[in-house]
Amino acid sequence: MSPFIMQTTCTKLALALLLLSASTAMAVEAKICTGAAALSKLDGYWATTHFLSLLEKHGNWTGAMKATDSQQIALSIKDGRIKQNLAWHEGDETAYCLRLAGDKVWLVGNGKHRAEQGPYQRLGTLEQNEADLYLARIIQGCFVSEEKEQWCFADGKLSINGKPDKARLSLDLSELDLYGTPLRVEGRKLPFWYLVRRSDAWVVFEDDYASNEKRVPVYSKTSKPWRVLRK
């Protein structure tokens, strides 16, 4: 082999090694773990793209939750911690790492062998209410009940006849019946309103915790609703 060809080959090899080294360094830099200062730029609520597509497909909270592994669908990042929401029911003290990929992240273990989960996209900021962010993807706009009440849903918040209502999406389904979109309400005999899409209307059922032995079962397709809301 001539000296020129050998030199050219060595140059190409050195360039390839340099590019490999640079890409490896970028990959390392793109991984951020619990406690890292860089996590502050990712503060907020995150949801898997798959779950958000299920919300759009099913149009109700229970349907989307039942169609996937609810333990892995959402993250919150705050104060240097990455918290997996575990169906909004259990605590989570695990140390995680994130792999960044553009405007999305993947959840990985902290050096342990663990399959990646994701991708997750940012749902909103910590200043917002997480439940509101999800409800806003299910129902928006104003509706009128047969009792002439005006129910307006805007950015995940409900107002009735212009007065803000404290009803809020119940993220945790662990003690609830599995239908529709449950809203936790205050100051009423029963603690939940369930929103169910029926033809051209939203029907609302009053309901109790599923664990209550005195609860009267609700059948979303045949039971008489408490309210019927139409545009």
Side-chain angles (χ1 to χ4, degrees), residues 2-76:
S2 70
F4 175 76
I5 295 177
M6 183 177 295
Q7 183 178 3
T8 302
T9 302
C10 290
T11 301
K12 290 182 178 179
L13 180 60
L15 181 60
L17 290 172
L18 182 62
L19 291 173
L20 178 62
S21 176
S23 63
T24 301
M26 289 176 62
V28 172
E29 290 173 0
K31 187 177 180 181
I32 303 176
C33 298
T34 295
L39 267 183
S40 61
K41 296 181 179 180
L42 302 175
D43 278 357
Y45 300 108
W46 296 72
T48 63
T49 56
H50 175 60
F51 180 63
L52 295 180
S53 68
L54 287 174
L55 269 184
E56 182 176 350
K57 175 183 176 180
H58 291 274
N60 73 82
W61 185 249
T62 300
M65 287 274 277
K66 289 169 64 178
T68 188
D69 183 351
S70 60
Q71 298 281 312
Q72 302 180 5
I73 56 180
L75 304 174
S76 60

Side-chain angles (χ1 to χ4, degrees), residues 81-200:
R81 291 199 58 219
I82 304 161
K83 181 181 178 182
Q84 194 169 26
N85 285 3
L86 304 178
W88 292 276
H89 181 67
E90 301 176 36
D92 182 19
E93 300 299 327
T94 307
Y96 292 108
C97 294
L98 298 175
R99 179 173 65 81
L100 277 61
D103 61 349
K104 297 179 176 62
V105 300
W106 292 79
L107 185 71
V108 297
N110 59 342
K112 300 177 181 179
H113 295 290
R114 183 193 296 264
E116 289 189 340
Q117 298 171 21
Y120 297 82
Q121 67 182 60
R122 199 193 304 260
L123 185 67
T125 68
L126 295 174
E127 288 72 29
Q128 297 171 286
N129 182 277
E130 186 178 16
D132 294 349
L133 294 168
Y134 284 108
L135 185 60
R137 289 175 173 261
I138 297 172
I139 184 170
Q140 290 271 38
C142 291
F143 307 84
V144 178
S145 72
E146 295 176 343
E147 291 73 19
K148 306 305 179 185
E149 300 166 330
Q150 186 180 57
W151 290 48
C152 290
F153 296 86
D155 300 323
K157 295 179 175 62
L158 169 64
S159 64
I160 300 177
N161 292 334
K163 182 179 179 181
D165 194 279
K166 293 182 179 180
R168 182 152 275 163
L169 172 64
S170 178
L171 299 171
D172 182 2
L173 296 179
S174 59
E175 294 186 42
L176 306 187
D177 201 354
L178 299 182
Y179 71 95
T181 299
L183 304 184
R184 185 73 168 87
V185 297
E186 296 181 10
R188 300 188 62 83
K189 182 178 179 180
L190 294 175
F192 295 100
W193 288 336
Y194 280 75
L195 303 176
V196 177
R197 193 69 183 260
R198 186 185 287 178
S199 187
D200 64 339

